[in-house]
PDB file of all heavy atoms in Angstrom:
ATOM      1  N   GLY A 638      -0.703   3.533  -6.937  1.00 92.00           N
ATOM      2  CA  GLY A 638      -0.998   4.864  -7.608  1.00 92.00           C
ATOM      3  C   GLY A 638      -0.377   4.916  -8.935  1.00 92.00           C
ATOM      4  O   GLY A 638       0.344   3.996  -9.463  1.00 92.00           O
ATOM      5  N   LYS A 639      -0.634   6.075  -9.588  1.00 94.00           N
ATOM      6  CA  LYS A 639      -0.019   6.250 -11.047  1.00 94.00           C
ATOM      7  C   LYS A 639       1.482   6.189 -11.095  1.00 94.00           C
ATOM      8  O   LYS A 639       2.008   5.825 -12.129  1.00 94.00           O
ATOM      9  CB  LYS A 639      -0.490   7.538 -11.572  1.00 94.00           C
ATOM     10  CG  LYS A 639      -2.021   7.609 -11.946  1.00 94.00           C
ATOM     11  CD  LYS A 639      -2.513   8.834 -12.512  1.00 94.00           C
ATOM     12  CE  LYS A 639      -4.011   8.849 -12.764  1.00 94.00           C
ATOM     13  NZ  LYS A 639      -4.609  10.126 -12.857  1.00 94.00           N
ATOM     14  N   ARG A 640       2.052   6.621 -10.095  1.00 92.00           N
ATOM     15  CA  ARG A 640       3.574   6.576 -10.006  1.00 92.00           C
ATOM     16  C   ARG A 640       4.122   5.176 -10.329  1.00 92.00           C
ATOM     17  O   ARG A 640       5.080   5.016 -11.014  1.00 92.00           O
ATOM     18  CB  ARG A 640       4.056   6.996  -8.642  1.00 92.00           C
ATOM     19  CG  ARG A 640       5.440   7.411  -8.623  1.00 92.00           C
ATOM     20  CD  ARG A 640       5.836   7.894  -7.253  1.00 92.00           C
ATOM     21  NE  ARG A 640       7.210   7.677  -7.009  1.00 92.00           N
ATOM     22  CZ  ARG A 640       7.810   7.713  -5.876  1.00 92.00           C
ATOM     23  NH1 ARG A 640       7.048   8.079  -4.830  1.00 92.00           N
ATOM     24  NH2 ARG A 640       8.969   7.453  -5.684  1.00 92.00           N
ATOM     25  N   ASP A 641       3.487   4.199  -9.906  1.00 92.00           N
ATOM     26  CA  ASP A 641       3.877   2.767 -10.189  1.00 92.00           C
ATOM     27  C   ASP A 641       3.157   2.133 -11.416  1.00 92.00           C
ATOM     28  O   ASP A 641       3.557   1.205 -11.997  1.00 92.00           O
ATOM     29  CB  ASP A 641       3.514   1.825  -8.979  1.00 92.00           C
ATOM     30  CG  ASP A 641       4.278   2.311  -7.793  1.00 92.00           C
ATOM     31  OD1 ASP A 641       5.589   2.375  -7.866  1.00 92.00           O
ATOM     32  OD2 ASP A 641       3.730   2.487  -6.745  1.00 92.00           O
ATOM     33  N   CYS A 643       1.634   3.952 -14.250  1.00 96.00           N
ATOM     34  CA  CYS A 643       1.493   4.711 -15.536  1.00 96.00           C
ATOM     35  C   CYS A 643       2.524   4.234 -16.505  1.00 96.00           C
ATOM     36  O   CYS A 643       3.698   4.441 -16.256  1.00 96.00           O
ATOM     37  CB  CYS A 643       1.631   6.220 -15.216  1.00 96.00           C
ATOM     38  SG  CYS A 643       1.619   7.208 -16.715  1.00 96.00           S
ATOM     39  N   ALA A 646       4.373   7.301 -18.306  1.00 96.00           N
ATOM     40  CA  ALA A 646       5.517   7.925 -17.500  1.00 96.00           C
ATOM     41  C   ALA A 646       6.684   7.002 -17.538  1.00 96.00           C
ATOM     42  O   ALA A 646       7.751   7.620 -17.585  1.00 96.00           O
ATOM     43  CB  ALA A 646       4.892   8.101 -16.106  1.00 96.00           C
ATOM     44  N   PHE A 650       9.974   8.717 -18.821  1.00 94.00           N
ATOM     45  CA  PHE A 650      10.945   9.128 -17.762  1.00 94.00           C
ATOM     46  C   PHE A 650      11.319   7.784 -17.071  1.00 94.00           C
ATOM     47  O   PHE A 650      10.808   7.539 -15.982  1.00 94.00           O
ATOM     48  CB  PHE A 650      10.234  10.095 -16.846  1.00 94.00           C
ATOM     49  CG  PHE A 650       9.581  11.215 -17.465  1.00 94.00           C
ATOM     50  CD1 PHE A 650       8.196  11.407 -17.351  1.00 94.00           C
ATOM     51  CD2 PHE A 650      10.348  12.213 -18.105  1.00 94.00           C
ATOM     52  CE1 PHE A 650       7.611  12.371 -18.030  1.00 94.00           C
ATOM     53  CE2 PHE A 650       9.716  13.226 -18.797  1.00 94.00           C
ATOM     54  CZ  PHE A 650       8.259  13.422 -18.811  1.00 94.00           C
ATOM     55  N   GLU A 652      13.789   7.084 -15.482  1.00 89.00           N
ATOM     56  CA  GLU A 652      14.450   7.239 -14.281  1.00 89.00           C
ATOM     57  C   GLU A 652      13.514   7.467 -13.084  1.00 89.00           C
ATOM     58  O   GLU A 652      13.852   7.436 -11.938  1.00 89.00           O
ATOM     59  CB  GLU A 652      15.383   8.571 -14.403  1.00 89.00           C
ATOM     60  CG  GLU A 652      14.745   9.867 -14.376  1.00 89.00           C
ATOM     61  CD  GLU A 652      14.085  10.310 -15.716  1.00 89.00           C
ATOM     62  OE1 GLU A 652      13.975   9.505 -16.620  1.00 89.00           O
ATOM     63  OE2 GLU A 652      13.792  11.548 -15.832  1.00 89.00           O
ATOM     64  N   GLY A 653      12.190   7.568 -13.373  1.00 86.00           N
ATOM     65  CA  GLY A 653      11.135   7.661 -12.273  1.00 86.00           C
ATOM     66  C   GLY A 653      10.780   9.074 -12.161  1.00 86.00           C
ATOM     67  O   GLY A 653      11.418  10.091 -12.387  1.00 86.00           O
ATOM     68  N   VAL A 654       9.517   9.252 -11.653  1.00 89.00           N
ATOM     69  CA  VAL A 654       8.901  10.504 -11.416  1.00 89.00           C
ATOM     70  C   VAL A 654       8.150  10.507 -10.013  1.00 89.00           C
ATOM     71  O   VAL A 654       7.836   9.598  -9.493  1.00 89.00           O
ATOM     72  CB  VAL A 654       7.815  10.843 -12.503  1.00 89.00           C
ATOM     73  CG1 VAL A 654       8.507  11.360 -13.806  1.00 89.00           C
ATOM     74  CG2 VAL A 654       6.973   9.749 -12.762  1.00 89.00           C
ATOM     75  N   GLU A 655       7.882  11.832  -9.576  1.00 90.00           N
ATOM     76  CA  GLU A 655       7.144  12.137  -8.406  1.00 90.00           C
ATOM     77  C   GLU A 655       5.655  11.801  -8.686  1.00 90.00           C
ATOM     78  O   GLU A 655       5.276  11.972  -9.797  1.00 90.00           O
ATOM     79  CB  GLU A 655       7.388  13.409  -7.917  1.00 90.00           C
ATOM     80  CG  GLU A 655       8.840  13.803  -7.518  1.00 90.00           C
ATOM     81  CD  GLU A 655       9.237  13.006  -6.230  1.00 90.00           C
ATOM     82  OE1 GLU A 655       8.452  12.862  -5.308  1.00 90.00           O
ATOM     83  OE2 GLU A 655      10.359  12.664  -6.240  1.00 90.00           O
ATOM     84  N   HIS A 656       4.927  11.653  -7.611  1.00 89.00           N
ATOM     85  CA  HIS A 656       3.483  11.443  -7.693  1.00 89.00           C
ATOM     86  C   HIS A 656       2.868  12.591  -8.367  1.00 89.00           C
ATOM     87  O   HIS A 656       1.994  12.524  -9.254  1.00 89.00           O
ATOM     88  CB  HIS A 656       2.855  11.111  -6.399  1.00 89.00           C
ATOM     89  CG  HIS A 656       1.374  11.126  -6.486  1.00 89.00           C
ATOM     90  ND1 HIS A 656       0.587  12.233  -6.224  1.00 89.00           N
ATOM     91  CD2 HIS A 656       0.562  10.107  -6.941  1.00 89.00           C
ATOM     92  CE1 HIS A 656      -0.660  11.982  -6.443  1.00 89.00           C
ATOM     93  NE2 HIS A 656      -0.688  10.632  -6.888  1.00 89.00           N
ATOM     94  N   SER A 657       3.225  13.875  -7.939  1.00 91.00           N
ATOM     95  CA  SER A 657       2.585  15.014  -8.516  1.00 91.00           C
ATOM     96  C   SER A 657       2.914  15.205  -9.939  1.00 91.00           C
ATOM     97  O   SER A 657       2.010  15.677 -10.812  1.00 91.00           O
ATOM     98  CB  SER A 657       3.014  16.315  -7.752  1.00 91.00           C
ATOM     99  OG  SER A 657       4.375  16.389  -7.842  1.00 91.00           O
ATOM    100  N   GLU A 658       4.054  14.763 -10.430  1.00 94.00           N
ATOM    101  CA  GLU A 658       4.459  14.876 -11.807  1.00 94.00           C
ATOM    102  C   GLU A 658       3.639  13.918 -12.697  1.00 94.00           C
ATOM    103  O   GLU A 658       3.204  14.258 -13.738  1.00 94.00           O
ATOM    104  CB  GLU A 658       5.936  14.580 -11.927  1.00 94.00           C
ATOM    105  CG  GLU A 658       6.821  15.562 -11.295  1.00 94.00           C
ATOM    106  CD  GLU A 658       8.329  15.099 -11.313  1.00 94.00           C
ATOM    107  OE1 GLU A 658       8.660  14.452 -12.094  1.00 94.00           O
ATOM    108  OE2 GLU A 658       8.906  15.439 -10.281  1.00 94.00           O
ATOM    109  N   VAL A 659       3.485  12.652 -12.228  1.00 95.00           N
ATOM    110  CA  VAL A 659       2.712  11.725 -13.085  1.00 95.00           C
ATOM    111  C   VAL A 659       1.299  12.068 -13.065  1.00 95.00           C
ATOM    112  O   VAL A 659       0.597  11.909 -14.143  1.00 95.00           O
ATOM    113  CB  VAL A 659       3.044  10.266 -12.596  1.00 95.00           C
ATOM    114  CG1 VAL A 659       2.427   9.945 -11.248  1.00 95.00           C
ATOM    115  CG2 VAL A 659       2.614   9.232 -13.621  1.00 95.00           C
ATOM    116  N   SER A 660       0.750  12.540 -12.023  1.00 94.00           N
ATOM    117  CA  SER A 660      -0.697  12.927 -12.096  1.00 94.00           C
ATOM    118  C   SER A 660      -0.861  14.130 -12.996  1.00 94.00           C
ATOM    119  O   SER A 660      -1.854  14.279 -13.734  1.00 94.00           O
ATOM    120  CB  SER A 660      -1.280  13.047 -10.693  1.00 94.00           C
ATOM    121  OG  SER A 660      -0.979  14.281 -10.136  1.00 94.00           O
ATOM    122  N   TYR A 661       0.161  15.030 -12.970  1.00 95.00           N
ATOM    123  CA  TYR A 661       0.025  16.122 -13.944  1.00 95.00           C
ATOM    124  C   TYR A 661       0.103  15.610 -15.428  1.00 95.00           C
ATOM    125  O   TYR A 661      -0.655  16.031 -16.286  1.00 95.00           O
ATOM    126  CB  TYR A 661       1.122  17.090 -13.707  1.00 95.00           C
ATOM    127  CG  TYR A 661       1.089  18.299 -14.548  1.00 95.00           C
ATOM    128  CD1 TYR A 661       0.105  19.300 -14.324  1.00 95.00           C
ATOM    129  CD2 TYR A 661       1.970  18.463 -15.683  1.00 95.00           C
ATOM    130  CE1 TYR A 661       0.172  20.553 -15.090  1.00 95.00           C
ATOM    131  CE2 TYR A 661       1.886  19.581 -16.539  1.00 95.00           C
ATOM    132  CZ  TYR A 661       0.969  20.580 -16.267  1.00 95.00           C
ATOM    133  OH  TYR A 661       0.906  21.648 -17.082  1.00 95.00           O
ATOM    134  N   LEU A 662       1.058  14.632 -15.632  1.00 96.00           N
ATOM    135  CA  LEU A 662       1.236  14.123 -17.001  1.00 96.00           C
ATOM    136  C   LEU A 662      -0.010  13.480 -17.487  1.00 96.00           C
ATOM    137  O   LEU A 662      -0.471  13.712 -18.556  1.00 96.00           O
ATOM    138  CB  LEU A 662       2.285  13.123 -16.942  1.00 96.00           C
ATOM    139  CG  LEU A 662       2.455  12.136 -18.142  1.00 96.00           C
ATOM    140  CD1 LEU A 662       3.523  12.632 -19.014  1.00 96.00           C
ATOM    141  CD2 LEU A 662       2.794  10.728 -17.689  1.00 96.00           C
ATOM    142  N   CYS A 663      -0.664  12.754 -16.574  1.00 97.00           N
ATOM    143  CA  CYS A 663      -1.952  12.067 -16.948  1.00 97.00           C
ATOM    144  C   CYS A 663      -3.141  12.994 -17.159  1.00 97.00           C
ATOM    145  O   CYS A 663      -3.865  12.879 -18.184  1.00 97.00           O
ATOM    146  CB  CYS A 663      -2.333  11.006 -15.866  1.00 97.00           C
ATOM    147  SG  CYS A 663      -3.684  10.042 -16.409  1.00 97.00           S
ATOM    148  N   TYR A 735      -6.800  11.733  -1.648  1.00 86.00           N
ATOM    149  CA  TYR A 735      -6.630  10.531  -2.432  1.00 86.00           C
ATOM    150  C   TYR A 735      -7.838   9.640  -2.363  1.00 86.00           C
ATOM    151  O   TYR A 735      -8.018   8.726  -3.208  1.00 86.00           O
ATOM    152  CB  TYR A 735      -5.471   9.736  -2.015  1.00 86.00           C
ATOM    153  CG  TYR A 735      -4.112  10.495  -2.145  1.00 86.00           C
ATOM    154  CD1 TYR A 735      -3.433  10.962  -1.078  1.00 86.00           C
ATOM    155  CD2 TYR A 735      -3.610  10.603  -3.507  1.00 86.00           C
ATOM    156  CE1 TYR A 735      -2.215  11.688  -1.487  1.00 86.00           C
ATOM    157  CE2 TYR A 735      -2.297  11.171  -3.708  1.00 86.00           C
ATOM    158  CZ  TYR A 735      -1.711  11.776  -2.621  1.00 86.00           C
ATOM    159  OH  TYR A 735      -0.544  12.384  -2.878  1.00 86.00           O
ATOM    160  N   HIS A 767       7.085  20.764   3.189  1.00 97.00           N
ATOM    161  CA  HIS A 767       8.228  21.563   3.548  1.00 97.00           C
ATOM    162  C   HIS A 767       8.859  22.155   2.312  1.00 97.00           C
ATOM    163  O   HIS A 767       8.713  21.687   1.270  1.00 97.00           O
ATOM    164  CB  HIS A 767       9.254  20.641   4.385  1.00 97.00           C
ATOM    165  CG  HIS A 767       9.963  19.674   3.476  1.00 97.00           C
ATOM    166  ND1 HIS A 767       9.519  18.397   3.268  1.00 97.00           N
ATOM    167  CD2 HIS A 767      11.149  19.804   2.765  1.00 97.00           C
ATOM    168  CE1 HIS A 767      10.411  17.822   2.390  1.00 97.00           C
ATOM    169  NE2 HIS A 767      11.343  18.612   2.139  1.00 97.00           N
ATOM    170  N   ARG A 839       5.502  23.819 -15.756  1.00 96.00           N
ATOM    171  CA  ARG A 839       5.241  22.363 -15.803  1.00 96.00           C
ATOM    172  C   ARG A 839       4.788  21.992 -17.278  1.00 96.00           C
ATOM    173  O   ARG A 839       5.029  20.980 -17.816  1.00 96.00           O
ATOM    174  CB  ARG A 839       4.108  21.983 -14.903  1.00 96.00           C
ATOM    175  CG  ARG A 839       4.594  22.191 -13.354  1.00 96.00           C
ATOM    176  CD  ARG A 839       3.973  21.295 -12.400  1.00 96.00           C
ATOM    177  NE  ARG A 839       2.441  21.470 -12.238  1.00 96.00           N
ATOM    178  CZ  ARG A 839       1.788  20.570 -11.621  1.00 96.00           C
ATOM    179  NH1 ARG A 839       2.275  19.561 -10.982  1.00 96.00           N
ATOM    180  NH2 ARG A 839       0.490  20.813 -11.503  1.00 96.00           N
ATOM    181  N   ARG A 848      10.667  16.166 -17.364  1.00 95.00           N
ATOM    182  CA  ARG A 848       9.740  15.912 -16.131  1.00 95.00           C
ATOM    183  C   ARG A 848       8.913  17.154 -15.877  1.00 95.00           C
ATOM    184  O   ARG A 848       9.542  18.303 -15.744  1.00 95.00           O
ATOM    185  CB  ARG A 848      10.569  15.491 -15.022  1.00 95.00           C
ATOM    186  CG  ARG A 848      10.987  14.102 -15.213  1.00 95.00           C
ATOM    187  CD  ARG A 848      12.012  13.680 -14.129  1.00 95.00           C
ATOM    188  NE  ARG A 848      11.376  13.730 -12.805  1.00 95.00           N
ATOM    189  CZ  ARG A 848      11.997  13.386 -11.719  1.00 95.00           C
ATOM    190  NH1 ARG A 848      13.294  13.035 -11.711  1.00 95.00           N
ATOM    191  NH2 ARG A 848      11.347  13.446 -10.513  1.00 95.00           N
ATOM    192  N   PRO A 849       7.654  17.124 -15.722  1.00 96.00           N
ATOM    193  CA  PRO A 849       6.856  18.416 -15.385  1.00 96.00           C
ATOM    194  C   PRO A 849       6.940  18.751 -13.998  1.00 96.00           C
ATOM    195  O   PRO A 849       5.911  18.784 -13.258  1.00 96.00           O
ATOM    196  CB  PRO A 849       5.390  17.889 -15.853  1.00 96.00           C
ATOM    197  CG  PRO A 849       5.361  16.423 -15.567  1.00 96.00           C
ATOM    198  CD  PRO A 849       6.822  15.899 -15.750  1.00 96.00           C
ATOM    199  N   ARG A 850       8.084  19.209 -13.567  1.00 95.00           N
ATOM    200  CA  ARG A 850       8.209  19.670 -12.205  1.00 95.00           C
ATOM    201  C   ARG A 850       8.647  21.152 -12.187  1.00 95.00           C
ATOM    202  O   ARG A 850       9.327  21.554 -13.059  1.00 95.00           O
ATOM    203  CB  ARG A 850       9.213  18.881 -11.498  1.00 95.00           C
ATOM    204  CG  ARG A 850      10.575  18.682 -12.055  1.00 95.00           C
ATOM    205  CD  ARG A 850      11.394  17.808 -11.159  1.00 95.00           C
ATOM    206  NE  ARG A 850      12.623  17.461 -11.941  1.00 95.00           N
ATOM    207  CZ  ARG A 850      13.619  16.745 -11.452  1.00 95.00           C
ATOM    208  NH1 ARG A 850      13.464  16.214 -10.231  1.00 95.00           N
ATOM    209  NH2 ARG A 850      14.546  16.425 -12.141  1.00 95.00           N
ATOM    210  N   SER A 851       8.246  21.882 -11.174  1.00 97.00           N
ATOM    211  CA  SER A 851       8.520  23.216 -11.039  1.00 97.00           C
ATOM    212  C   SER A 851       8.633  23.653  -9.524  1.00 97.00           C
ATOM    213  O   SER A 851       7.729  23.332  -8.754  1.00 97.00           O
ATOM    214  CB  SER A 851       7.399  24.065 -11.660  1.00 97.00           C
ATOM    215  OG  SER A 851       7.368  25.302 -11.071  1.00 97.00           O
ATOM    216  N   HIS A 855       5.729  24.435  -6.546  1.00 97.00           N
ATOM    217  CA  HIS A 855       5.785  23.884  -5.106  1.00 97.00           C
ATOM    218  C   HIS A 855       5.791  25.101  -4.094  1.00 97.00           C
ATOM    219  O   HIS A 855       5.090  25.024  -3.040  1.00 97.00           O
ATOM    220  CB  HIS A 855       7.002  23.030  -5.011  1.00 97.00           C
ATOM    221  CG  HIS A 855       7.083  22.411  -3.558  1.00 97.00           C
ATOM    222  ND1 HIS A 855       8.288  21.938  -3.083  1.00 97.00           N
ATOM    223  CD2 HIS A 855       6.217  22.285  -2.638  1.00 97.00           C
ATOM    224  CE1 HIS A 855       8.099  21.408  -1.944  1.00 97.00           C
ATOM    225  NE2 HIS A 855       6.815  21.677  -1.593  1.00 97.00           N
TER     226      HIS A 855
END
Side-chain angles (χ1 to χ4, degrees):
K639 286 181 184 161
R640 195 174 151 196
D641 296 304
C643 174
F650 312 110
E652 74 279 15
V654 277
E655 295 293 319
H656 172 265
S657 61
E658 295 167 31
V659 71
S660 77
Y661 182 77
L662 166 98
C663 184
Y735 294 107
H767 76 269
R839 296 210 295 174
R848 286 172 63 179
R850 54 182 167 179
S851 157
H855 180 200

